[in-house]
Amino acid sequence: MDMNLLVALDALLDTNSVTLAAQRLHTSPPAMSRTLTRLRRTLGDPLLVRAGRSLVPTPRALELRYEVGTLVEQARSLLIPRGDLDPSALRRTFAVQAGDMVLTELAAPLLAAARAQAPGVTLRFLPDSLEGTSALRDGRVDLEVGVIDHADPETTVRRVCADRVIGVAMAEHLLVTDRVTVAAYAAARHVSISRNGRAHGPIDDRLALHGRTRRVVATVPNLTSALFAVRGSDLVCPAPALLSASALPALGLSTFEIPLPLPEVAIGMAWHPRNSADGGHRWLRDLVQEILLRSAAAVRPPKQRRGRADQDTDGGLESR
């Protein structure tokens, strides 16, 4: 059935007039008369019959009037662009994939903001074990946050901010209390972060430029494990600067500047294009971006001597 016939039927049943229905739909009375003929043939009912100089609806037309009017109004509403979203009216669950590198800093403020703005929203935080899969395409993940270096061609990626790598140790460690040199840093006992168990990473590449190597006594799969390994020991590990303002003091850990021109860590968001125009998803993206930018502004790096390696902007916290 030609769905345009519903619009014509709605106009005819509302006006009981071929002429008025034609005026409403900006067509000619002969064209509307031909449409009425098609409707009569399709529905097997005359719909409008002559009564003197006017037309009156048949019982079948009276039955259809309300239902047809409702269908046409619903169709019109589907095609009207949506206005501004009211987050308080959202009733949705969002799956957010983030590694512990950003999740520690993101989770608490995001939950607090969602509770204040959209109490009907539920957030499911997923580990980064789904990286490199079709989770965004399949809808298992709504938004990925962190170091985005494996996106599918159709995935939308937005760079949010740049983080930097700092050193973490116990408060009484010499790298925290004394001046940090390349030699002192290389001589420390290190914990390396690698999901694949690799001990070599960007830090080792920079140390090699100084003719130095470091002693990696352990590799761990994520940042959380590294921080707890450092806690209460003489070990050191790298960490994103975004983490230093909140999580590290709670663990009794302190930070120091690594005396090497390490590559920056680009923090971004990724999502499937089908969600780009969705109001609820846009609200979530804007909120995540606001939180990350606020955290990045709070830990701006100090002035550092720039060198050749400063220009290298790819790479992560440690070995992938």
Side-chain angles (χ1 to χ4, degrees):
M1 179 179 179
D2 183 357
M3 299 305 294
N4 289 322
L5 291 178
L6 282 177
V7 179
L9 180 59
D10 178 55
L12 287 165
L13 297 182
D14 188 50
T15 62
N16 291 335
S17 168
V18 171
T19 301
L20 294 178
Q23 292 176 357
R24 177 181 294 185
L25 299 183
H26 306 289
T27 189
S28 65
M32 183 56 67
S33 180
R34 290 192 295 271
T35 300
L36 177 58
T37 300
R38 290 182 60 193
L39 285 166
R40 285 168 170 167
R41 185 168 55 248
T42 300
L43 296 173
D45 188 271
L47 299 174
L48 296 175
V49 296
R50 182 69 59 182
R53 301 183 61 182
S54 61
L55 296 175
V56 295
T58 65
R60 174 63 171 156
L62 293 175
E63 290 177 0
L64 291 172
R65 178 178 289 169
Y66 174 77
E67 187 174 355
V68 169
T70 301
L71 286 173
V72 171
E73 184 60 31
Q74 289 176 344
R76 288 196 180 104
S77 66
L78 286 175
L79 299 177
I80 296 175
R82 294 186 178 182
D84 294 336
L85 173 77
D86 178 10
S88 64
L90 274 177
R91 299 293 183 273
R92 288 178 64 175
T93 296
F94 292 104
V96 180
Q97 175 182 296
D100 56 355
M101 176 178 163
V102 296
L103 186 57
T104 305
E105 187 67 21
L106 176 65
L110 183 57
L111 287 170
R115 180 180 181 183
Q117 299 180 25
V121 164
T122 299
L123 295 172
R124 293 174 52 235
F125 293 107
L126 305 176
D128 56 5
S129 58
L130 294 175
E131 284 186 359
T133 70
S134 59
L136 286 172
R137 184 193 310 135
D138 298 342
R140 288 175 289 161
V141 172
D142 295 302
L143 185 66
E144 182 179 347
V145 186
V147 179
I148 312 297
D149 57 3
H150 49 267
D152 293 329
E154 73 271 19
T155 300
T156 300
V157 179
R158 178 193 297 174
R159 177 188 170 105
V160 177
C161 62
D163 199 4
R164 61 193 179 92
V165 179
I166 58 175
V168 176
M170 292 295 293
E172 63 273 12
H173 198 286
L174 291 179
L175 292 181
V176 175
T177 59
D178 293 348
R179 177 173 173 268
V180 183
T181 65
V182 173
Y185 179 70
R189 287 160 36 90
H190 293 257
V191 175
S192 180
I193 302 170
S194 171
R195 285 174 297 187
N196 300 318
R198 296 173 56 188
H200 190 94
I203 291 176
D204 302 280
D205 294 335
R206 274 42 177 199
L207 283 173
L209 296 176
H210 294 268
R212 302 277 181 175
T213 59
R214 61 174 177 160
R215 168 79 169 112
V216 177
V217 300
T219 61
V220 293
N222 52 59
L223 179 60
T224 302
S225 300
L227 295 179
F228 277 96
V230 170
R231 187 182 185 187
S233 72
D234 64 345
L235 300 172
V236 300
C237 75
L242 286 178
L243 196 67
S244 62
S246 57
L248 298 183
L251 294 174
L253 299 173
S254 296
T255 65
F256 61 89
E257 294 295 327
I258 297 176
L260 298 168
L262 296 175
E264 70 177 12
V265 181
I267 305 299
M269 298 185 295
W271 65 91
H272 194 274
R274 67 171 173 273
N275 291 318
S276 292
D278 179 76
H281 198 278
R282 185 167 55 249
W283 165 82
L284 177 64
R285 298 195 305 264
D286 291 345
L287 194 56
V288 169
Q289 177 170 298
E290 177 186 342
I291 292 171
L292 292 177
L293 287 176
R294 188 167 60 242
S295 298
V299 290
R300 284 196 180 100
K303 292 183 179 179
Q304 294 179 340
R305 177 177 59 86
R306 295 185 62 82
R308 176 169 60 87
D310 280 309
Q311 308 306 318
D312 186 355
T313 58
D314 59 351
L317 186 63
E318 277 273 20
S319 303
R320 301 295 285 179

